[in-house]
Amino acid sequence: MRDEEVKALLRERGAQTIDHPGGTLYTHLVRVHDRLAAHGLPDPTALAGLAHAAYGTDGFDTALLTLDERDLLRAAAGPDAELIVHRYAATGRKATWRPLAQTRQLHNRFDGTVQTLTAAELRPLVDLSIVNELDLCEQAPDVAARYGDYFRALFASWADLASPQVTADARATLGG
């Protein structure tokens, strides 16, 4: 099963030794995966949740793999999941997140390019982004206190981009 291959790769790269709200990076990645899977989202989306921090993110600098090692994640998670992970890691949040519902543009923090995504390309990226932040809010109450209003407004603006069950989860978790 692909999830076991991805988990093995994460452990091989030390994800279980990296501190993260709610325990370790590994436990966070597993929680995000499990939540996406519980929402009935496609396997590539759930697998992307399991590996979403593999290349680091705009909010978490620690990388388990370099961009030169993308083939390792493709082999473990599959090409569709790896592409979602790469897009998630590449997202320059400040330039991308607020206008995303209007522009559908991803500002790539790695190479400075801007890519307009289709609704089908955006949905797994948005679902993953929301579920990741929901987990952080649950595990770190200071995050929820500091960013709750921002996330409520942002996720409401993404309602047409996200899966309905993820939007409902955001409302239930954050209120509003």
Side-chain angles (χ1 to χ4, degrees), residues 20-23 31 133-149 151-152 173-174:
H20 197 276
R31 284 192 308 267
E133 299 304 335
L134 294 178
D135 183 71
L136 289 175
C137 286
E138 289 176 336
Q139 300 301 318
D142 59 312
V143 171
R146 187 170 179 192
Y147 298 106
D149 290 341
F151 287 141
R152 275 187 287 281
T173 301
L174 298 173

Side-chain angles (χ1 to χ4, degrees), residues 42-127:
D43 286 342
T45 304
L47 285 168
L50 185 58
H52 72 268
Y55 308 126
T57 72
D58 194 13
F60 190 75
D61 290 335
T62 303
L64 303 173
L65 298 168
T66 67
L67 293 178
D68 292 336
E69 296 176 304
R70 289 181 68 186
D71 285 343
L72 291 174
L73 187 55
R74 277 189 203 106
D80 294 339
E82 190 281 332
L83 181 58
I84 298 166
V85 170
H86 183 264
R87 284 183 177 143
Y88 182 81
T91 300
R93 293 177 182 184
K94 193 173 206 174
T96 301
W97 276 13
R98 281 191 192 267
L100 187 61
Q102 289 76 37
T103 67
R104 298 181 182 237
Q105 291 181 336
L106 183 148
H107 294 257
N108 188 313
R109 70 186 183 100
F110 296 137
D111 64 15
T113 60
V114 177
Q115 180 183 13
T116 301
L117 301 177
T118 67
E121 292 168 331
L122 273 172
R123 178 154 284 178
L125 180 64
V126 168
D127 287 343

